[in-house]
Amino acid sequence: MTTHARPAPASLSASVPAPARTGPPAGAQAVGRALDVLLCFHDNGPDPTASDLARRLGLSTSTAHRLARTLLAAGFLEQDARTARYRLGPAVTELGRISYHQRGLHLAAPELRDLAARTGTTAALALRSGAHAVIVAGETVVPKAGLRRPLRSTAPGKVLLAWPGDGEPSSPIGESALVRDRGHVLEDEDPCPGVRTLAVPVLDRSGSARFALAVRAAPAELSGARLGRLLPQVQACARALEVLLLPPGERRAPEA
């Protein structure tokens, strides 16, 4: 009996071309979309529905609903049983409190309260997050604005741009030099009409602004002789915050 040998099968790679990778893995895309859902809550606006999230993110309602349900199960979102609207959940609160203490911001709170009480202003501390200045201590959430403001349109943001860290974008050279020469930024209608903001840097040893310290009041309270008396108090508070918030090796040398 004659046996005929079967031809060796062609390799899978030769018969079926591998799909080209044109974007992030599916898992990474899902994580990115879930984070986008959480970032929809930055502006402290009305609690959104799944349809609201879908419209804002350019997703189908079913996809937005699925992402929201996943975040709900993990505790990052909560849902009102009556309205089906979502809000941030306890897991976000927990992580926020942990981060607040890890950064030592609980140590800054008494200094901010004392500065506000002595000057009759509202005091806040901001740090840089991408293209935004984020209020991290001392100020309540502003309705419809949240805690994030564009760097280039707010006094704390302009301070952070004028004293950038390594690799961080800065303001135009002339504008940055003017701010650094003055040592502060004074901005009207920040964050809303009828309010004036004075901001100064909280600097590290390299001369970068790790934070911006801002005080807010009516324009009449931050002008003329009143401003001249208040500015040294704000700058002294910024120096105290350098000691409280920065490790010893990253602090500026004490002033003579």
Side-chain angles (χ1 to χ4, degrees), residues 106-247:
H106 59 294
L107 302 174
E111 294 290 336
L112 297 176
R113 286 195 299 268
D114 178 68
L115 178 63
R118 286 187 290 106
T119 59
T121 63
T122 299
L125 194 66
L127 55 71
R128 186 171 185 157
S129 178
H132 293 83
V134 180
I135 304 298
V136 292
E139 183 179 289
T140 56
V141 180
V142 177
K144 298 183 180 180
L147 298 172
R148 293 165 61 88
R149 286 130 209 189
L151 286 170
R152 299 185 183 279
S153 63
T154 182
K158 290 180 179 180
V159 162
L160 294 168
L161 283 169
W163 284 272
D166 291 339
E168 292 179 339
S170 63
S171 50
I173 294 176
E175 180 180 332
S176 180
L178 181 61
V179 171
R180 292 168 75 104
D181 183 58
R182 289 176 177 166
H184 67 274
V185 172
L186 196 62
E187 191 82 4
D188 284 326
E189 299 191 358
D190 178 13
C192 56
V195 176
R196 178 172 290 174
T197 299
L198 168 68
V200 302
V202 178
L203 298 170
D204 62 16
R205 182 180 291 272
S206 70
S208 299
R210 294 290 191 88
F211 301 90
L213 172 61
V215 294
R216 295 186 169 94
E221 297 298 315
L222 292 178
S223 60
R226 169 71 172 158
L227 176 62
R229 292 192 299 269
L230 187 144
L231 180 58
Q233 297 181 67
V234 178
Q235 292 171 326
C237 182
R239 290 301 300 236
L241 292 173
E242 291 173 17
V243 176
L244 289 171
L245 299 176
L246 302 181

Side-chain angles (χ1 to χ4, degrees), residues 10-36:
S11 67
L12 183 61
S13 60
S15 59
V16 181
R21 291 185 177 272
T22 58
Q29 184 183 54
V31 171
R33 285 181 170 178
L35 293 174
D36 287 340

Side-chain angles (χ1 to χ4, degrees), residues 50-51 54 59-69:
S51 296
L59 302 173
S60 67
T61 301
S62 60
T63 298
H65 180 76
R66 185 168 62 251
L67 290 168
R69 299 301 294 181

Side-chain angles (χ1 to χ4, degrees), residues 23-45:
Q29 184 183 54
V31 171
R33 285 181 170 178
L35 293 174
D36 287 340
V37 170
L38 292 177
L39 294 177
C40 284
F41 293 84
H42 270 154
D43 60 3
N44 193 38

Side-chain angles (χ1 to χ4, degrees), residues 34-105:
L35 293 174
D36 287 340
V37 170
L38 292 177
L39 294 177
C40 284
F41 293 84
H42 270 154
D43 60 3
N44 193 38
D47 294 344
T49 62
S51 296
D52 295 331
L53 294 172
R55 188 163 47 252
R56 181 174 295 191
L57 298 176
L59 302 173
S60 67
T61 301
S62 60
T63 298
H65 180 76
R66 185 168 62 251
L67 290 168
R69 299 301 294 181
T70 300
L71 292 166
L72 181 70
F76 285 90
L77 290 181
E78 290 181 335
Q79 188 177 35
D80 188 300
R82 183 178 59 85
T83 65
R85 292 182 176 275
Y86 292 96
R87 57 179 174 265
L88 293 175
V92 177
T93 304
E94 179 185 5
L95 292 176
R97 288 185 62 84
I98 290 172
S99 176
Y100 186 81
H101 282 265
Q102 284 179 339
R103 290 179 176 273
L105 295 170

